[in-house]
Amino acid sequence: MVYMKIIAPVFVIAIVGVLLAGYGAINPQPIKQIDDKVEITFWDDSEDPDRIALWEELIKRFEVENPTIEVEYIALHKDSAKSKFDSAIASDDTPDVASVYTSWLPEFKDRDALLPLDSYFENWSKKEKINSKAIQFNRKIIKDNLLYGIPYTQNLDILWIRSDWFEEENVKIPETWNEFFQAARNMTDKSKDQFGYSIRGGVGGSFQLQRLMYAYSGIGEYIKDGKSTINNQKHVEFLKDYFALYQEYTPKSDIANDYNALIAGFDAGRVAMIQHNLGSYGDHMKLLKDNQFQVIPVPKSMDGRFVVEGGNTIGLSIFKDTEYPKESWEFVRFINSKSAQSYWNQVVGQIPTNSDVLNDSWVKESLHIKKAIEIYNDPETIIYEPAFYLPEYRSILNLMVDSGIQSVLSGKKTVEDFLDEWAIAIEDAMRRYENKYPVQTKRPD
């Protein structure tokens, strides 16, 4: 591995000055080893300077508590991070430990890149503090049902709105889908270059779009009887209305919107509503005052229930080729401690997975996190589970669906064709998975 290295032991050389009469000899004797450090490499897709500073602070705290371990931190560009990991796995040049999206775990495991963490986790005295459902989900999506990632944060897609604009224009804050589409129209004033909504049409748009589709339809099964529900008629109906907003009530540039462009449009005062997750809270706070914006839930489904995506977490994973699994686990354990999780999630604005942190005052006072927890804890909320267990799942969304959105927005493809192609890709991947792992044709409950 390129990045791993062990720092050579440093010995204090005792100068035992035994000056023997007549000889004048000096005999060096090693009497104490004071430093035997290991360096591990940590990767994360934190291109934002504030996020980088956050990790650097946590690494500094970790190194103080663990003076024999140094962490080399490499921040990857968010939109190219997955391809960096792919290249690293292909060339056997992976980091020791990394921040990994839950949806990446099955593919990385299928490529034999990850180290199972079960023995470390089971022997950890604080394991009961970590969200058991998130741990269970991470095991469930892997074909061998072992644990390859310890989630340190949980997310939820919501709507960020310019509440000050809604108040000025006396427009009702949307609670239903009809109100959402009407608000996008009412908040648009092209004479001011102001738009009611902004679509993420570029990199990463597929994940957000999928969450909106299921939130609208209320469908709780991603695959039913071997058939994908992606191209369900309710999703066709929704996307026709949703994509019809483009250019009429959204900026024309939305077709290329990646994360940064989406957030910049909102924070710079060009759009009134965006769909994103809790994690952009820190970005909004940089340019907006807290009385200028607020979070609202994505509207309930047409039959009146919140529908959210399961497994919307990020965790730490250890790569199989590490020479320092013990030291890497110490870093995983530290990041999932109460103090580290509290610090990370407070700065970023996401939900901690350590139950002790949920009692912190900042969590209780954070309106957007309180709202997200309310939605997750609502007994009527449906949690649908995408086919994360398919090793091809992420590639289908990254390589096919992202570009498919642009084809629809540019008028080169119909909504029906777009959804049919998406559904067929998932079903084909499902068949290949079942052929490769016939013993697990039936997914565990």
Side-chain angles (χ1 to χ4, degrees):
M1 295 175 60
V2 168
Y3 298 109
M4 291 195 305
K5 62 182 180 181
I6 188 166
I7 299 175
V10 178
F11 296 95
V12 172
I13 307 300
I15 308 298
V16 182
V18 182
L19 183 63
L20 301 177
Y23 294 92
I26 297 176
N27 298 322
Q29 297 288 331
I31 60 174
K32 183 181 181 183
Q33 179 176 311
I34 63 170
D35 195 358
D36 188 2
K37 289 190 175 182
V38 163
E39 182 178 88
I40 59 173
T41 304
F42 167 60
W43 286 12
D44 176 75
D45 65 339
S46 298
E47 57 183 331
D48 178 79
D50 291 339
R51 192 72 66 90
I52 291 173
L54 168 58
W55 278 115
E56 288 176 340
E57 171 60 25
L58 285 175
I59 289 169
K60 184 169 69 176
R61 296 181 188 183
F62 170 75
E63 291 177 340
V64 169
E65 285 191 16
N66 299 271
T68 61
I69 307 173
E70 288 188 349
V71 179
E72 182 185 17
Y73 170 39
I74 296 179
L76 306 176
H77 189 283
K78 181 174 288 295
D79 292 336
S80 62
K82 178 61 166 51
S83 63
K84 295 290 185 185
F85 278 104
D86 290 340
S87 298
I89 293 171
S91 59
D92 295 325
D93 192 20
T94 51
D96 297 278
V97 59
S99 180
V100 173
Y101 294 95
T102 298
S103 59
W104 292 358
L105 293 176
E107 178 187 343
F108 287 0
K109 171 59 183 72
D110 197 59
R111 298 168 69 180
D112 200 25
L114 300 178
L115 185 74
L117 304 177
D118 300 77
S119 59
Y120 295 101
F121 186 71
E122 293 305 321
N123 289 314
W124 182 29
S125 63
K126 302 292 185 182
K127 67 179 180 182
E128 302 297 338
K129 302 295 183 182
I130 305 301
N131 186 322
S132 59
K133 291 183 178 178
I135 293 292
Q136 182 183 15
F137 187 92
N138 281 10
R139 284 183 163 132
K140 179 181 178 180
I141 61 175
I142 305 294
K143 63 180 183 295
D144 61 11
N145 298 139
L146 297 180
L147 182 63
Y148 293 93
I150 309 297
Y152 61 87
T153 187
Q154 185 172 11
N155 223 329
L156 179 72
D157 272 40
I158 41 77
L159 296 177
W160 293 103
I161 69 166
R162 285 296 302 265
S163 50
D164 54 343
W165 293 4
F166 275 79
E167 184 176 355
E168 291 169 8
E169 300 296 330
N170 195 28
V171 173
K172 185 179 186 301
I173 292 176
E175 297 180 1
T176 68
W177 286 105
N178 287 336
E179 291 174 353
F180 164 78
F181 286 115
Q182 188 59 48
R185 292 188 281 269
N186 289 343
M187 296 303 297
T188 296
D189 185 345
K190 290 184 176 179
S191 68
K192 298 179 181 177
D193 195 32
Q194 176 182 306
F195 296 90
Y197 188 68
S198 184
I199 295 170
R200 184 170 178 176
V203 175
S206 52
F207 301 96
Q208 294 188 203
L209 186 69
Q210 179 173 274
R211 290 163 186 159
L212 283 184
M213 288 161 47
Y214 282 86
Y216 175 90
S217 69
I219 296 172
E221 293 176 288
Y222 197 77
I223 296 177
K224 184 176 182 180
D225 299 328
K227 302 292 290 183
S228 170
T229 57
I230 282 290
N231 58 347
N232 183 280
Q233 187 57 37
K234 290 181 180 178
H235 294 156
V236 175
E237 172 186 296
F238 171 71
L239 286 195
K240 287 188 173 181
D241 289 340
Y242 185 72
F243 286 142
L245 295 175
Y246 178 56
Q247 296 195 65
E248 292 295 323
Y249 308 104
T250 80
K252 185 178 180 179
S253 58
D254 277 8
I255 194 170
N257 256 8
D258 60 7
Y259 166 78
N260 289 326
L262 179 77
I263 301 303
F266 182 75
D267 293 345
R270 197 173 180 216
V271 299
M273 296 188 294
I274 59 169
Q275 172 221 2
H276 193 247
N277 57 46
L278 303 172
S280 54
Y281 173 76
D283 288 321
H284 305 321
M285 287 297 291
K286 292 177 189 174
L287 295 177
L288 300 174
K289 298 177 181 176
D290 57 8
N291 63 351
Q292 290 182 298
F293 70 101
Q294 71 177 69
V295 63
I296 63 172
V298 171
K300 292 181 177 179
S301 65
M302 299 305 288
D303 59 0
R305 294 187 289 183
F306 288 121
V307 180
V308 302
E309 183 177 286
N312 195 350
T313 60
I314 309 173
L316 290 185
S317 297
I318 299 175
F319 283 80
K320 197 181 82 172
D321 288 339
T322 180
E323 294 179 21
Y324 309 112
K326 180 181 176 182
E327 290 80 3
S328 297
W329 169 254
E330 286 304 307
F331 186 66
V332 173
R333 181 199 57 75
F334 173 83
I335 295 301
N336 278 287
S337 66
K338 179 180 185 296
S339 60
Q341 268 213 25
S342 181
Y343 182 70
W344 195 96
N345 284 286
Q346 182 178 13
V347 173
V348 175
Q350 295 183 179
I351 306 170
T353 63
N354 186 316
S355 58
D356 281 346
V357 187
L358 297 178
N359 295 318
D360 284 2
S361 58
W362 70 265
V363 174
K364 296 177 179 177
E365 295 166 2
S366 176
L367 296 179
H368 66 288
I369 291 182
K370 286 176 62 178
K371 178 58 69 178
I373 292 175
E374 285 177 15
I375 293 171
Y376 272 118
N377 290 339
D378 185 334
E380 297 294 318
T381 294
I382 295 173
I383 298 180
Y384 80 96
E385 298 180 1
F388 286 175
Y389 56 89
L390 297 178
E392 297 173 63
Y393 172 77
R394 283 293 299 232
S395 297
I396 291 171
L397 268 69
N398 287 339
L399 302 178
M400 194 192 86
V401 182
D402 276 0
S403 60
I405 293 172
Q406 294 177 325
S407 295
V408 177
L409 291 176
S410 62
K412 297 177 180 176
K413 187 175 290 185
T414 66
V415 166
E416 288 87 347
D417 287 346
F418 167 61
L419 291 178
D420 284 346
E421 291 171 8
W422 185 353
I424 289 170
I426 293 292
E427 291 165 5
D428 288 347
M430 182 68 180
R431 278 189 285 275
R432 285 189 286 272
Y433 176 86
E434 291 178 347
N435 288 335
K436 186 175 181 180
Y437 306 111
V439 69
Q440 293 207 3
T441 296
K442 183 181 184 304
R443 298 296 307 162
D445 296 328

